[in-house]
């Protein structure tokens, strides 16, 4: 099915009936906003093209969802490798918090380099 462009007449002029496609009613999270900023600052042609054809917001939501799921998948693996166990959490909370913060920083660095800034 071909999208036919329709017009509205106002006086002697015909104005095309154009609009943006429906966007999901959802806010962008941290990674989606970071991707948007990256595209605007470092890939302006891609940002402009995605804005014009209406795919930008869905792309940003996809990056957001993928980044969050990758973070959730990586954190237990990194915590296990670092030795951040429940026993350590019960005995030395500050060390456990430090290890978990280190694991989150590692996971975010991977996510940023592979998803957001590529």
């Amino acid at each position: 099915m071909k999208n036919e462009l329709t017009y509205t007449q106002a006086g002697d002029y015909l104005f095309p009936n154009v609009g943006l496609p429906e966007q999901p009613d959802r806010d962008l999270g941290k990674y989606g906003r970071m991707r948007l900023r990256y595209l605007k600052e470092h890939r302006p042609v891609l940002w402009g093209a995605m804005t014009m054809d209406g795919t930008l917001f869905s792309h940003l939501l996809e990056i957001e969802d993928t980044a969050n799921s990758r973070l959730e998948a990586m954190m237990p693996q990194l915590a296990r490798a670092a030795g951040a166990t429940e026993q350590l959490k019960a005995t030395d909370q500050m060390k456990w918090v430090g290890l978990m913060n280190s694991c989150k920083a590692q996971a975010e660095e991977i996510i940023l380099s592979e998803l957001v800034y590529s």
Side-chain angles (χ1 to χ4, degrees):
M1 180 176 162
K2 188 176 178 183
N3 288 340
E4 295 282 331
L5 191 58
T6 59
Y7 294 88
T8 301
Q9 186 164 3
D12 293 335
Y13 300 100
L14 291 174
F15 294 101
N17 297 324
V18 294
L20 293 174
E22 273 302 308
Q23 301 294 334
D25 188 25
R26 225 177 106 190
D27 293 330
L28 285 178
K30 172 183 176 180
Y31 301 110
R33 290 190 311 269
M34 290 172 84
R35 177 70 174 170
L36 176 62
R37 184 173 171 192
Y38 170 77
L39 289 174
K40 277 184 174 179
E41 292 177 2
H42 300 283
R43 307 282 305 275
V45 174
L46 180 60
W47 171 75
M50 292 176 89
T51 302
M52 293 299 287
D53 66 13
T55 60
L56 179 64
F57 195 70
S58 61
H59 170 74
L60 297 175
L61 286 177
E62 181 181 344
I63 293 291
E64 177 73 27
D65 293 340
T66 305
N68 284 326
S69 65
R70 295 259 328 257
L71 182 66
E72 287 178 23
M74 277 194 279
M75 280 301 291
Q77 296 171 353
L78 291 171
R80 194 170 31 258
T85 62
E86 289 297 318
Q87 182 182 5
L88 180 64
K89 183 178 179 180
T91 58
D92 191 357
Q93 289 181 352
M94 293 305 291
K95 185 174 181 180
W96 181 83
V97 168
L99 288 173
M100 291 303 287
N101 285 341
S102 175
C103 292
K104 185 166 184 183
Q106 290 174 11
E108 283 192 338
E109 187 66 32
I110 293 168
I111 289 168
L112 293 178
S113 66
E114 291 180 356
L115 290 175
V116 176
Y117 301 137
S118 62

